[in-house]
């Protein structure tokens, strides 16, 4: 297998050798997908190449500030009038992720696969894959560095956007020294980091906000203020139109209260079953706590299922947490 | 006036020349105050110097993970038994910020004033002040670089903590290229960035969470889903024990809903007056909007006061926002 440096050079050569590229990313594009599409477009425009940027659907409104974001054609509105023989796929772990845009690939199209997902299955003619990159935008940073081109705030903003969104605002475990080093360089080029953070990182769906609100309404604390908990019933889920993924992050609210050592979310599954999610502010090992109830996890984030009605589950869990505190 | 480099060397010399230092920071210490106190302590321990770390009150529980955080004496619990002739004050814009700890300064104590606040009034014998530093921890990074010492994860974690908290998680306008460059270096030294972000950035007071919950209960959206608003009455403030500063950030929740272009917080002042805070997702210039009502601000964050009852203020504001959309 060739090295990352070899792949960079091979990709560079591919971009120099041909013309009239189609640049696509995955369906329901996120920050990294949009940024990476635009970064390739920006590079091709610098090289004086013809290119078309395409996605199966629309670009999220919040990303419209990006350089030429409006030129990423929404296939359902502005489908291309022809097919392409040279395609660049960014941030797609497998070929199917490009969605219906593949209708515009020639049957024998040469495809470049640029991606950071460890699960990437290696489709395409040229592969530029770096599984330990925080974002595909990080790989594009490296690729663009191969060329003798003048960087401006537009391209810096695009790449920063990919890094910012895929690292959850420089908070996830993929926030490597290299990510911060690149961010530093991009800020020097005039990126408005604070504005991007505000625009990109704080979006919620309406059901997410509704179920958060419902949960907070029922917030409870011990008299000592060291344990805080919220609960959510199946009826709450229906009322708010919420799915399980909308509950992500809610348990942090009780945990984040000043003075609280353990925050808990009780999710009622049915009359006789409750899922408890535990978060610790540091003092309590909630993995050990969860184990008491047959669950598990990490020292600061763990969970367990209790085959009990909600009120009994709450009593039992509180008793155990108090014992530890 | 001497340069920053000269101040760094002068401070370095002061630390080399003496022994038995008292290290203090401001009352109600935040992340940067604690980090900076510990960073000075760490440096002095490397230099084999005697030192005492002191604060008027306790260190926040959430910062107890820091190297020797438990050695910062809480004056109300473990007061020193004597006074000190060499004092290092960190992150204190003026002398009064050290609070009651000044009781332990000799009347003729030599004081080093290390700080990043632009309002620092230049007290002390030696001043090491850099107003464009994001945090005092950034200045300590520079100071420690003057010495030939081996950096480890403990000192890196302390400095990272100061940067992280004073930049709001690398989101405020003080997030300079240099901040990100330092963060990169500190991560290389083994800082657990994700855990620090979780522990330090998400804390809320109970009144803050209660008033947020109260506001979200009354969340409203236009049928088109492009304008969302919440309102808070004086009674809500009383019920939740909330002060005005507890409202910070609430207006972002309606603005952050997917599809919403303008989020609004209506804060009832009395029967005939409402303060409206506007946040834009990017499309609408809310500064121009606020100006209609005699207010002002920035394109994405603005506000105005309306001398109307709540219901009339809401109607009028919605009419104007709809006109712009």
């Amino acid at each position: 297998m060739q090295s990352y440096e070899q792949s960079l050079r091979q990709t560079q050569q591919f971009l120099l050798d041909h013309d009239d590229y189609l640049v696509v990313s995955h369906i329901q594009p996120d920050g990294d997908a949009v940024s990476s599409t635009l970064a390739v477009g920006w590079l091709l425009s610098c090289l004086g190449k013809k290119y078309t940027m395409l996605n199966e659907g629309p670009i999220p409104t919040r990303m419209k500030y990006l350089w030429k974001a409006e030129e990423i054609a929404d296939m359902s509105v502005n489908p291309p009038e022809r097919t392409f023989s040279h395609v660049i796929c960014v941030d797609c772990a497998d070929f199917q992720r490009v969605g219906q845009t593949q209708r515009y690939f020639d049957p024998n199209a040469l495809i470049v696969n640029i991606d950071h997902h460890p699960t990437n299955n290696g489709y395409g003619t040229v592969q530029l894959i770096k599984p330990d990159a925080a974002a595909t935008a990080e790989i594009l940073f490296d690729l663009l560095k191969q060329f003798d081109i003048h960087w401006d705030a537009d391209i810096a903003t695009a790449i920063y956007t990919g890094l910012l969104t895929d690292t959850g605002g420089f908070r996830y475990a993929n926030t490597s020294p290299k990510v911060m080093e690149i961010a530093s360089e991009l800020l020097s080029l005039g990126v408005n980091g604070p504005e991007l953070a505000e625009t990109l990182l704080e979006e919620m769906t309406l059901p997410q906000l509704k179920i958060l609100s419902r949960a907070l309404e029922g917030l409870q604390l011990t008299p000592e203020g060291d344990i805080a908990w919220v609960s959510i019933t199946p009826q709450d889920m229906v009322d708010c139109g919420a799915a399980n993924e909308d509950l992500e992050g809610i348990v942090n609210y009780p945990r984040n209260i000043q003075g609280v050592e353990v925050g808990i979310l009780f999710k009622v599954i049915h009359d006789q079953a409750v899922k408890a999610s535990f978060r610790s502010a540091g003092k309590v090992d909630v993995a050990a706590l969860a184990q008491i109830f047959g669950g598990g996890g990490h020292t600061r984030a763990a969970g367990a299922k209790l085959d009990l009605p909600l009120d009994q589950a709450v009593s039992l869990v509180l008793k155990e947490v108090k014992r530890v505190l």
Side-chain angles (χ1 to χ4, degrees), chain A residues 126-143:
Chain A
V126 174
Q127 293 87 29
L128 176 58
I129 298 163
K130 190 167 188 269
D132 66 346
T136 298
E138 179 181 325
I139 302 174
L140 288 167
F141 177 88
D142 291 338
L143 179 64

Side-chain angles (χ1 to χ4, degrees), chain A residues 9 46 58 78 87 101 115 121 144 151 170 205 224 236 277 285:
Chain A
R9 283 193 295 274
C46 288
N78 294 307
V87 179
T101 65
D115 186 37
N121 65 6
L144 268 65
W151 290 56
F170 309 114
T205 63
E224 299 76 23
D236 292 329
S277 303
D285 175 357

Side-chain angles (χ1 to χ4, degrees), chain A residues 71-85:
Chain A
E71 287 189 17
I72 302 180
D74 175 351
M75 210 189 88
S76 56
V77 180
N78 294 307
E81 289 169 354
R82 60 190 175 89
T83 61
F84 293 80
S85 54

